[in-house]
Amino acid sequence: MDRGFASLLLLPLLFLATVVASSDSSQFCDAGTGYGAAEGCAGGRAVSGEGGSGKILIKGGTVVNAHHQEVADVYVEDGVVIAIKPNIKVGDDVVIIDATGKYVMPGGIDPHTHLAMEFMGTETIDDFFSGQAAALAGGTTMHIDFVIPVNGSLITGVEAYEKKAKKSCMDYGFHMAITKWDEVVSQEMDIMVHEKGINSFKFFMAYKGSLMVSDELLLQGLKKCKSLGALAMVHAENGDAVFEGQQRMIELGITGPEGHALSRPAALEGEATSRAIRLAGFVNTPLYVVHVMSIDALEEIAKARRSGQRVIGEPVVSGLTLNDSVLWDPDFSTAAKFVMSPPIRAAGHDKALQDALATGVLQLVGTDHCAFNSEQKAFGIDDFRKIPNGVNGLEERMHLVWDTMVESGKISVTDFVRITSTECARIFNIYPKKGAILAGSDADIIILNPNASFEIGAKFHHSRLDTNVYEGRKGMGKVEVTIAGGRVVWINNELRVTSGSGKYVSMPPFGYLFGGLDKADSTYLSGLRAPVKRSTTSASS
């Protein structure tokens, strides 16, 4: 135990001891090996949950928001931040946590996850309990997951995901994928926005024959998104060219994981990113490019933003911190665990993505957490096209971004809060309920010790994965306490989570990215100088 935790006041220690002593040990999840059975954790009580006062005072830390930081106390009651100011006085029924010398920040929000997702003939190993528990251990207190339609039906898809999410242990929201187009889908998009609280729709420009959409469908979707005030998102790779690249690799006898990267080079990501941006500009609607992995794609985003177009670029942790050399590892299991799409790029792309994030060309960091274990990855042992695509990151994101971006001096502490929490909340229109420590905000809070170190490994992470693409990575800056919804869920390297305690977060349409679009449309229409009134008299008369 480090000095920070040794300084926890006597009152919360007595309180913790009382709660743990009065609870069946099987109600809690053990951190470390053996963790992962959601059913074994159902019914557990969080430190300040049932039986507690619901009151917490975080004392003496540096409170960091996206645009300001100050040394202050934070008082929480019934899941909501009540006050932020120095020297708050409280009664004996309040749990006190000493954060002296540490940063008190909004919990992370991961904008890009796939839990319990059925894909490539299998289902991701992390569900809405194990994936979320892992997230909480890493300082992420909310995520937004992608709902995949069932046979093209949005309603059937969201109903399936609502059932999957019943075991959740932290707050979450939904994006919706669009995989086909007809009048029914158009009407269902209205229902998603107005009744289901979904304000974003994703279009796959890759995965030919399954999820991929045509330009015609994408245009229809962009127009519909604009009318609904919903954000259009794209997975930007040229699916037709990727298919051709895959055929080429197979013909060359390249069947291993390296064939995955070789079949879908950065140029194909850049082309699709450019095409999506230009189509969104044609419609005049905002665009969100998910998992930006290459210099090619980020340069297209930079050019569009310089011209004034509203384009959001989302890098993911794997793209920021890894390079594709791992795909040439002679051990298949090792190489296959890194297969994702777009693929992890050659060294140099990672540094460029970091620089783009530091300078505002890219705006926020996700994970694309889509976890498949070694057995599932082995489906493609003789054909890289059959390797389920996806890597982990939900638990590791906050630590890796801190170590890569803050410890290196690339960004400030306030920028860290912006790219891991606040900007996501703003984009998806849930700020300042989420993404801030302000009076009235949800009490989703982390305490990060910049002087403590972390180490990543499959033996002690909380995902159900048997591997970890960041295995052995060490760094500075450790999340020591996570508070989600006013409950202490991670402390002393132990999880205290309850299956079913998470809440769905409804996200309203017409976020800040839509402000002023109507004026831009009016300017466009007034500048057409058309239709021209022409004489009906023939030219020969």
Side-chain angles (χ1 to χ4, degrees), residues 353-384:
L353 291 168
Q354 293 170 24
D355 292 343
L357 185 61
T359 56
V361 174
L362 304 175
Q363 289 71 48
L364 74 170
V365 182
T367 61
D368 195 10
H369 183 95
C370 189
F372 297 101
N373 64 20
S374 297
E375 183 178 347
Q376 293 169 307
K377 290 282 189 176
F379 293 169
I381 195 165
D382 296 317
D383 186 344
F384 67 85

PDB file of all heavy atoms in Angstrom, residues 353-384:
ATOM      1  N   LEU A 353      -0.403  10.203 -34.639  1.00  0.00           N
ATOM      2  CA  LEU A 353      -1.709  10.254 -33.978  1.00  0.00           C
ATOM      3  C   LEU A 353      -1.607  10.980 -32.640  1.00  0.00           C
ATOM      4  O   LEU A 353      -2.485  11.775 -32.278  1.00  0.00           O
ATOM      5  CB  LEU A 353      -2.249   8.839 -33.783  1.00  0.00           C
ATOM      6  CG  LEU A 353      -2.669   8.091 -35.050  1.00  0.00           C
ATOM      7  CD1 LEU A 353      -2.895   6.611 -34.741  1.00  0.00           C
ATOM      8  CD2 LEU A 353      -3.935   8.700 -35.655  1.00  0.00           C
ATOM      9  N   GLN A 354      -0.542  10.710 -31.893  1.00  0.00           N
ATOM     10  CA  GLN A 354      -0.325  11.402 -30.623  1.00  0.00           C
ATOM     11  C   GLN A 354      -0.228  12.913 -30.843  1.00  0.00           C
ATOM     12  O   GLN A 354      -0.841  13.707 -30.110  1.00  0.00           O
ATOM     13  CB  GLN A 354       0.941  10.889 -29.943  1.00  0.00           C
ATOM     14  CG  GLN A 354       0.877   9.450 -29.464  1.00  0.00           C
ATOM     15  CD  GLN A 354       2.241   8.937 -29.020  1.00  0.00           C
ATOM     16  OE1 GLN A 354       3.123   9.713 -28.651  1.00  0.00           O
ATOM     17  NE2 GLN A 354       2.427   7.633 -29.051  1.00  0.00           N
ATOM     18  N   ASP A 355       0.536  13.311 -31.844  1.00  0.00           N
ATOM     19  CA  ASP A 355       0.709  14.738 -32.125  1.00  0.00           C
ATOM     20  C   ASP A 355      -0.616  15.372 -32.549  1.00  0.00           C
ATOM     21  O   ASP A 355      -0.928  16.512 -32.164  1.00  0.00           O
ATOM     22  CB  ASP A 355       1.764  14.944 -33.211  1.00  0.00           C
ATOM     23  CG  ASP A 355       3.174  14.577 -32.744  1.00  0.00           C
ATOM     24  OD1 ASP A 355       3.398  14.481 -31.521  1.00  0.00           O
ATOM     25  OD2 ASP A 355       4.045  14.366 -33.611  1.00  0.00           O
ATOM     26  N   ALA A 356      -1.390  14.647 -33.352  1.00  0.00           N
ATOM     27  CA  ALA A 356      -2.686  15.172 -33.799  1.00  0.00           C
ATOM     28  C   ALA A 356      -3.644  15.330 -32.629  1.00  0.00           C
ATOM     29  O   ALA A 356      -4.437  16.283 -32.577  1.00  0.00           O
ATOM     30  CB  ALA A 356      -3.279  14.250 -34.866  1.00  0.00           C
ATOM     31  N   LEU A 357      -3.573  14.416 -31.695  1.00  0.00           N
ATOM     32  CA  LEU A 357      -4.411  14.504 -30.501  1.00  0.00           C
ATOM     33  C   LEU A 357      -3.978  15.685 -29.636  1.00  0.00           C
ATOM     34  O   LEU A 357      -4.806  16.422 -29.086  1.00  0.00           O
ATOM     35  CB  LEU A 357      -4.313  13.190 -29.718  1.00  0.00           C
ATOM     36  CG  LEU A 357      -5.206  13.017 -28.490  1.00  0.00           C
ATOM     37  CD1 LEU A 357      -6.682  13.078 -28.867  1.00  0.00           C
ATOM     38  CD2 LEU A 357      -4.897  11.681 -27.814  1.00  0.00           C
ATOM     39  N   ALA A 358      -2.677  15.870 -29.518  1.00  0.00           N
ATOM     40  CA  ALA A 358      -2.146  16.951 -28.688  1.00  0.00           C
ATOM     41  C   ALA A 358      -2.477  18.328 -29.249  1.00  0.00           C
ATOM     42  O   ALA A 358      -2.626  19.289 -28.483  1.00  0.00           O
ATOM     43  CB  ALA A 358      -0.632  16.798 -28.541  1.00  0.00           C
ATOM     44  N   THR A 359      -2.600  18.435 -30.557  1.00  0.00           N
ATOM     45  CA  THR A 359      -2.825  19.733 -31.187  1.00  0.00           C
ATOM     46  C   THR A 359      -4.272  19.992 -31.574  1.00  0.00           C
ATOM     47  O   THR A 359      -4.586  21.016 -32.172  1.00  0.00           O
ATOM     48  CB  THR A 359      -1.951  19.871 -32.442  1.00  0.00           C
ATOM     49  OG1 THR A 359      -2.214  18.770 -33.331  1.00  0.00           O
ATOM     50  CG2 THR A 359      -0.470  19.871 -32.082  1.00  0.00           C
ATOM     51  N   GLY A 360      -5.175  19.058 -31.250  1.00  0.00           N
ATOM     52  CA  GLY A 360      -6.595  19.278 -31.493  1.00  0.00           C
ATOM     53  C   GLY A 360      -7.111  18.827 -32.839  1.00  0.00           C
ATOM     54  O   GLY A 360      -8.301  18.992 -33.130  1.00  0.00           O
ATOM     55  N   VAL A 361      -6.250  18.255 -33.673  1.00  0.00           N
ATOM     56  CA  VAL A 361      -6.726  17.710 -34.944  1.00  0.00           C
ATOM     57  C   VAL A 361      -7.665  16.535 -34.675  1.00  0.00           C
ATOM     58  O   VAL A 361      -8.689  16.359 -35.342  1.00  0.00           O
ATOM     59  CB  VAL A 361      -5.544  17.261 -35.830  1.00  0.00           C
ATOM     60  CG1 VAL A 361      -6.034  16.553 -37.086  1.00  0.00           C
ATOM     61  CG2 VAL A 361      -4.687  18.457 -36.188  1.00  0.00           C
ATOM     62  N   LEU A 362      -7.332  15.726 -33.666  1.00  0.00           N
ATOM     63  CA  LEU A 362      -8.192  14.662 -33.168  1.00  0.00           C
ATOM     64  C   LEU A 362      -8.688  15.091 -31.787  1.00  0.00           C
ATOM     65  O   LEU A 362      -7.974  15.770 -31.052  1.00  0.00           O
ATOM     66  CB  LEU A 362      -7.430  13.340 -33.098  1.00  0.00           C
ATOM     67  CG  LEU A 362      -6.798  12.881 -34.424  1.00  0.00           C
ATOM     68  CD1 LEU A 362      -5.972  11.617 -34.205  1.00  0.00           C
ATOM     69  CD2 LEU A 362      -7.861  12.648 -35.494  1.00  0.00           C
ATOM     70  N   GLN A 363      -9.897  14.676 -31.417  1.00  0.00           N
ATOM     71  CA  GLN A 363     -10.557  15.317 -30.285  1.00  0.00           C
ATOM     72  C   GLN A 363     -10.726  14.482 -29.019  1.00  0.00           C
ATOM     73  O   GLN A 363     -10.856  15.033 -27.930  1.00  0.00           O
ATOM     74  CB  GLN A 363     -11.951  15.823 -30.713  1.00  0.00           C
ATOM     75  CG  GLN A 363     -11.916  17.007 -31.635  1.00  0.00           C
ATOM     76  CD  GLN A 363     -11.420  16.643 -33.030  1.00  0.00           C
ATOM     77  OE1 GLN A 363     -11.876  15.665 -33.614  1.00  0.00           O
ATOM     78  NE2 GLN A 363     -10.482  17.406 -33.539  1.00  0.00           N
ATOM     79  N   LEU A 364     -10.796  13.186 -29.125  1.00  0.00           N
ATOM     80  CA  LEU A 364     -11.063  12.350 -27.961  1.00  0.00           C
ATOM     81  C   LEU A 364     -10.548  10.947 -28.207  1.00  0.00           C
ATOM     82  O   LEU A 364     -10.283  10.583 -29.354  1.00  0.00           O
ATOM     83  CB  LEU A 364     -12.557  12.307 -27.626  1.00  0.00           C
ATOM     84  CG  LEU A 364     -13.507  11.486 -28.528  1.00  0.00           C
ATOM     85  CD1 LEU A 364     -14.879  11.375 -27.871  1.00  0.00           C
ATOM     86  CD2 LEU A 364     -13.656  12.068 -29.922  1.00  0.00           C
ATOM     87  N   VAL A 365     -10.404  10.156 -27.138  1.00  0.00           N
ATOM     88  CA  VAL A 365      -9.790   8.828 -27.247  1.00  0.00           C
ATOM     89  C   VAL A 365     -10.792   7.745 -26.858  1.00  0.00           C
ATOM     90  O   VAL A 365     -11.412   7.806 -25.789  1.00  0.00           O
ATOM     91  CB  VAL A 365      -8.550   8.713 -26.337  1.00  0.00           C
ATOM     92  CG1 VAL A 365      -7.901   7.344 -26.500  1.00  0.00           C
ATOM     93  CG2 VAL A 365      -7.545   9.806 -26.649  1.00  0.00           C
ATOM     94  N   GLY A 366     -10.941   6.757 -27.727  1.00  0.00           N
ATOM     95  CA  GLY A 366     -11.748   5.581 -27.423  1.00  0.00           C
ATOM     96  C   GLY A 366     -10.865   4.349 -27.317  1.00  0.00           C
ATOM     97  O   GLY A 366      -9.630   4.447 -27.228  1.00  0.00           O
ATOM     98  N   THR A 367     -11.501   3.180 -27.342  1.00  0.00           N
ATOM     99  CA  THR A 367     -10.733   1.932 -27.284  1.00  0.00           C
ATOM    100  C   THR A 367     -11.081   0.957 -28.407  1.00  0.00           C
ATOM    101  O   THR A 367     -10.256   0.167 -28.805  1.00  0.00           O
ATOM    102  CB  THR A 367     -10.970   1.191 -25.948  1.00  0.00           C
ATOM    103  OG1 THR A 367     -12.360   0.856 -25.831  1.00  0.00           O
ATOM    104  CG2 THR A 367     -10.513   2.037 -24.773  1.00  0.00           C
ATOM    105  N   ASP A 368     -12.327   0.984 -28.890  1.00  0.00           N
ATOM    106  CA  ASP A 368     -12.814  -0.091 -29.757  1.00  0.00           C
ATOM    107  C   ASP A 368     -12.621  -1.427 -29.054  1.00  0.00           C
ATOM    108  O   ASP A 368     -12.233  -2.425 -29.673  1.00  0.00           O
ATOM    109  CB  ASP A 368     -12.090  -0.067 -31.106  1.00  0.00           C
ATOM    110  CG  ASP A 368     -12.789  -0.919 -32.162  1.00  0.00           C
ATOM    111  OD1 ASP A 368     -13.922  -1.380 -31.909  1.00  0.00           O
ATOM    112  OD2 ASP A 368     -12.211  -1.132 -33.240  1.00  0.00           O
ATOM    113  N   HIS A 369     -12.896  -1.455 -27.731  1.00  0.00           N
ATOM    114  CA  HIS A 369     -12.758  -2.683 -26.952  1.00  0.00           C
ATOM    115  C   HIS A 369     -13.696  -3.738 -27.539  1.00  0.00           C
ATOM    116  O   HIS A 369     -14.918  -3.614 -27.508  1.00  0.00           O
ATOM    117  CB  HIS A 369     -13.124  -2.411 -25.490  1.00  0.00           C
ATOM    118  CG  HIS A 369     -12.942  -3.593 -24.590  1.00  0.00           C
ATOM    119  ND1 HIS A 369     -11.791  -3.785 -23.853  1.00  0.00           N
ATOM    120  CD2 HIS A 369     -13.761  -4.646 -24.296  1.00  0.00           C
ATOM    121  CE1 HIS A 369     -11.919  -4.905 -23.138  1.00  0.00           C
ATOM    122  NE2 HIS A 369     -13.105  -5.433 -23.398  1.00  0.00           N
ATOM    123  N   CYS A 370     -13.104  -4.774 -28.109  1.00  0.00           N
ATOM    124  CA  CYS A 370     -13.848  -5.830 -28.791  1.00  0.00           C
ATOM    125  C   CYS A 370     -13.043  -7.106 -28.561  1.00  0.00           C
ATOM    126  O   CYS A 370     -12.178  -7.476 -29.368  1.00  0.00           O
ATOM    127  CB  CYS A 370     -13.969  -5.490 -30.273  1.00  0.00           C
ATOM    128  SG  CYS A 370     -15.073  -6.556 -31.216  1.00  0.00           S
ATOM    129  N   ALA A 371     -13.291  -7.764 -27.440  1.00  0.00           N
ATOM    130  CA  ALA A 371     -12.368  -8.764 -26.902  1.00  0.00           C
ATOM    131  C   ALA A 371     -12.727 -10.188 -27.325  1.00  0.00           C
ATOM    132  O   ALA A 371     -13.821 -10.684 -27.050  1.00  0.00           O
ATOM    133  CB  ALA A 371     -12.357  -8.672 -25.371  1.00  0.00           C
ATOM    134  N   PHE A 372     -11.760 -10.854 -27.965  1.00  0.00           N
ATOM    135  CA  PHE A 372     -11.884 -12.267 -28.318  1.00  0.00           C
ATOM    136  C   PHE A 372     -10.691 -13.011 -27.743  1.00  0.00           C
ATOM    137  O   PHE A 372      -9.551 -12.545 -27.852  1.00  0.00           O
ATOM    138  CB  PHE A 372     -11.923 -12.442 -29.837  1.00  0.00           C
ATOM    139  CG  PHE A 372     -13.107 -11.791 -30.498  1.00  0.00           C
ATOM    140  CD1 PHE A 372     -12.973 -10.572 -31.147  1.00  0.00           C
ATOM    141  CD2 PHE A 372     -14.357 -12.389 -30.463  1.00  0.00           C
ATOM    142  CE1 PHE A 372     -14.059  -9.960 -31.752  1.00  0.00           C
ATOM    143  CE2 PHE A 372     -15.452 -11.799 -31.076  1.00  0.00           C
ATOM    144  CZ  PHE A 372     -15.306 -10.574 -31.716  1.00  0.00           C
ATOM    145  N   ASN A 373     -10.932 -14.179 -27.138  1.00  0.00           N
ATOM    146  CA  ASN A 373      -9.841 -14.909 -26.488  1.00  0.00           C
ATOM    147  C   ASN A 373      -9.042 -15.727 -27.503  1.00  0.00           C
ATOM    148  O   ASN A 373      -9.335 -15.734 -28.707  1.00  0.00           O
ATOM    149  CB  ASN A 373     -10.374 -15.779 -25.343  1.00  0.00           C
ATOM    150  CG  ASN A 373     -11.315 -16.875 -25.822  1.00  0.00           C
ATOM    151  OD1 ASN A 373     -11.327 -17.257 -26.999  1.00  0.00           O
ATOM    152  ND2 ASN A 373     -12.125 -17.408 -24.917  1.00  0.00           N
ATOM    153  N   SER A 374      -8.038 -16.414 -27.004  1.00  0.00           N
ATOM    154  CA  SER A 374      -7.123 -17.158 -27.885  1.00  0.00           C
ATOM    155  C   SER A 374      -7.846 -18.225 -28.691  1.00  0.00           C
ATOM    156  O   SER A 374      -7.539 -18.449 -29.870  1.00  0.00           O
ATOM    157  CB  SER A 374      -6.008 -17.803 -27.057  1.00  0.00           C
ATOM    158  OG  SER A 374      -5.225 -16.827 -26.422  1.00  0.00           O
ATOM    159  N   GLU A 375      -8.793 -18.883 -28.068  1.00  0.00           N
ATOM    160  CA  GLU A 375      -9.548 -19.932 -28.767  1.00  0.00           C
ATOM    161  C   GLU A 375     -10.338 -19.338 -29.926  1.00  0.00           C
ATOM    162  O   GLU A 375     -10.413 -19.918 -31.019  1.00  0.00           O
ATOM    163  CB  GLU A 375     -10.482 -20.634 -27.783  1.00  0.00           C
ATOM    164  CG  GLU A 375     -11.266 -21.778 -28.388  1.00  0.00           C
ATOM    165  CD  GLU A 375     -12.150 -22.487 -27.370  1.00  0.00           C
ATOM    166  OE1 GLU A 375     -11.967 -22.257 -26.163  1.00  0.00           O
ATOM    167  OE2 GLU A 375     -13.033 -23.263 -27.792  1.00  0.00           O
ATOM    168  N   GLN A 376     -10.951 -18.179 -29.692  1.00  0.00           N
ATOM    169  CA  GLN A 376     -11.720 -17.536 -30.757  1.00  0.00           C
ATOM    170  C   GLN A 376     -10.807 -17.021 -31.866  1.00  0.00           C
ATOM    171  O   GLN A 376     -11.116 -17.170 -33.053  1.00  0.00           O
ATOM    172  CB  GLN A 376     -12.540 -16.385 -30.160  1.00  0.00           C
ATOM    173  CG  GLN A 376     -13.647 -16.844 -29.213  1.00  0.00           C
ATOM    174  CD  GLN A 376     -14.269 -15.689 -28.445  1.00  0.00           C
ATOM    175  OE1 GLN A 376     -13.563 -14.919 -27.810  1.00  0.00           O
ATOM    176  NE2 GLN A 376     -15.585 -15.564 -28.535  1.00  0.00           N
ATOM    177  N   LYS A 377      -9.685 -16.430 -31.499  1.00  0.00           N
ATOM    178  CA  LYS A 377      -8.750 -15.934 -32.504  1.00  0.00           C
ATOM    179  C   LYS A 377      -8.224 -17.076 -33.380  1.00  0.00           C
ATOM    180  O   LYS A 377      -7.897 -16.878 -34.559  1.00  0.00           O
ATOM    181  CB  LYS A 377      -7.577 -15.219 -31.821  1.00  0.00           C
ATOM    182  CG  LYS A 377      -7.934 -13.893 -31.159  1.00  0.00           C
ATOM    183  CD  LYS A 377      -8.059 -12.767 -32.166  1.00  0.00           C
ATOM    184  CE  LYS A 377      -8.208 -11.412 -31.495  1.00  0.00           C
ATOM    185  NZ  LYS A 377      -8.237 -10.284 -32.455  1.00  0.00           N
ATOM    186  N   ALA A 378      -8.165 -18.280 -32.807  1.00  0.00           N
ATOM    187  CA  ALA A 378      -7.639 -19.434 -33.542  1.00  0.00           C
ATOM    188  C   ALA A 378      -8.568 -19.894 -34.661  1.00  0.00           C
ATOM    189  O   ALA A 378      -8.182 -20.745 -35.470  1.00  0.00           O
ATOM    190  CB  ALA A 378      -7.377 -20.593 -32.578  1.00  0.00           C
ATOM    191  N   PHE A 379      -9.775 -19.326 -34.750  1.00  0.00           N
ATOM    192  CA  PHE A 379     -10.659 -19.653 -35.868  1.00  0.00           C
ATOM    193  C   PHE A 379      -9.959 -19.357 -37.196  1.00  0.00           C
ATOM    194  O   PHE A 379     -10.259 -19.979 -38.209  1.00  0.00           O
ATOM    195  CB  PHE A 379     -11.950 -18.830 -35.810  1.00  0.00           C
ATOM    196  CG  PHE A 379     -12.856 -19.149 -34.654  1.00  0.00           C
ATOM    197  CD1 PHE A 379     -13.934 -18.325 -34.354  1.00  0.00           C
ATOM    198  CD2 PHE A 379     -12.656 -20.273 -33.863  1.00  0.00           C
ATOM    199  CE1 PHE A 379     -14.779 -18.609 -33.304  1.00  0.00           C
ATOM    200  CE2 PHE A 379     -13.498 -20.567 -32.802  1.00  0.00           C
ATOM    201  CZ  PHE A 379     -14.561 -19.730 -32.519  1.00  0.00           C
ATOM    202  N   GLY A 380      -9.021 -18.407 -37.174  1.00  0.00           N
ATOM    203  CA  GLY A 380      -8.349 -18.021 -38.409  1.00  0.00           C
ATOM    204  C   GLY A 380      -6.917 -18.481 -38.499  1.00  0.00           C
ATOM    205  O   GLY A 380      -6.104 -17.840 -39.175  1.00  0.00           O
ATOM    206  N   ILE A 381      -6.594 -19.602 -37.868  1.00  0.00           N
ATOM    207  CA  ILE A 381      -5.204 -20.053 -37.845  1.00  0.00           C
ATOM    208  C   ILE A 381      -4.669 -20.360 -39.239  1.00  0.00           C
ATOM    209  O   ILE A 381      -3.468 -20.241 -39.502  1.00  0.00           O
ATOM    210  CB  ILE A 381      -5.045 -21.283 -36.914  1.00  0.00           C
ATOM    211  CG1 ILE A 381      -3.560 -21.512 -36.614  1.00  0.00           C
ATOM    212  CG2 ILE A 381      -5.727 -22.517 -37.498  1.00  0.00           C
ATOM    213  CD1 ILE A 381      -3.311 -22.443 -35.465  1.00  0.00           C
ATOM    214  N   ASP A 382      -5.550 -20.714 -40.175  1.00  0.00           N
ATOM    215  CA  ASP A 382      -5.119 -21.004 -41.535  1.00  0.00           C
ATOM    216  C   ASP A 382      -5.562 -19.934 -42.538  1.00  0.00           C
ATOM    217  O   ASP A 382      -5.299 -20.046 -43.733  1.00  0.00           O
ATOM    218  CB  ASP A 382      -5.671 -22.364 -41.994  1.00  0.00           C
ATOM    219  CG  ASP A 382      -5.127 -23.517 -41.161  1.00  0.00           C
ATOM    220  OD1 ASP A 382      -3.915 -23.500 -40.892  1.00  0.00           O
ATOM    221  OD2 ASP A 382      -5.920 -24.395 -40.776  1.00  0.00           O
ATOM    222  N   ASP A 383      -6.261 -18.898 -42.033  1.00  0.00           N
ATOM    223  CA  ASP A 383      -6.786 -17.868 -42.928  1.00  0.00           C
ATOM    224  C   ASP A 383      -7.068 -16.613 -42.110  1.00  0.00           C
ATOM    225  O   ASP A 383      -8.019 -16.579 -41.323  1.00  0.00           O
ATOM    226  CB  ASP A 383      -8.069 -18.370 -43.599  1.00  0.00           C
ATOM    227  CG  ASP A 383      -8.610 -17.409 -44.649  1.00  0.00           C
ATOM    228  OD1 ASP A 383      -8.201 -16.228 -44.661  1.00  0.00           O
ATOM    229  OD2 ASP A 383      -9.478 -17.832 -45.452  1.00  0.00           O
ATOM    230  N   PHE A 384      -6.246 -15.590 -42.278  1.00  0.00           N
ATOM    231  CA  PHE A 384      -6.374 -14.379 -41.466  1.00  0.00           C
ATOM    232  C   PHE A 384      -7.751 -13.733 -41.577  1.00  0.00           C
ATOM    233  O   PHE A 384      -8.188 -13.005 -40.689  1.00  0.00           O
ATOM    234  CB  PHE A 384      -5.297 -13.359 -41.848  1.00  0.00           C
ATOM    235  CG  PHE A 384      -5.440 -12.787 -43.236  1.00  0.00           C
ATOM    236  CD1 PHE A 384      -6.271 -11.704 -43.499  1.00  0.00           C
ATOM    237  CD2 PHE A 384      -4.716 -13.318 -44.303  1.00  0.00           C
ATOM    238  CE1 PHE A 384      -6.395 -11.175 -44.772  1.00  0.00           C
ATOM    239  CE2 PHE A 384      -4.826 -12.795 -45.583  1.00  0.00           C
ATOM    240  CZ  PHE A 384      -5.677 -11.725 -45.824  1.00  0.00           C
TER     241      PHE A 384
END
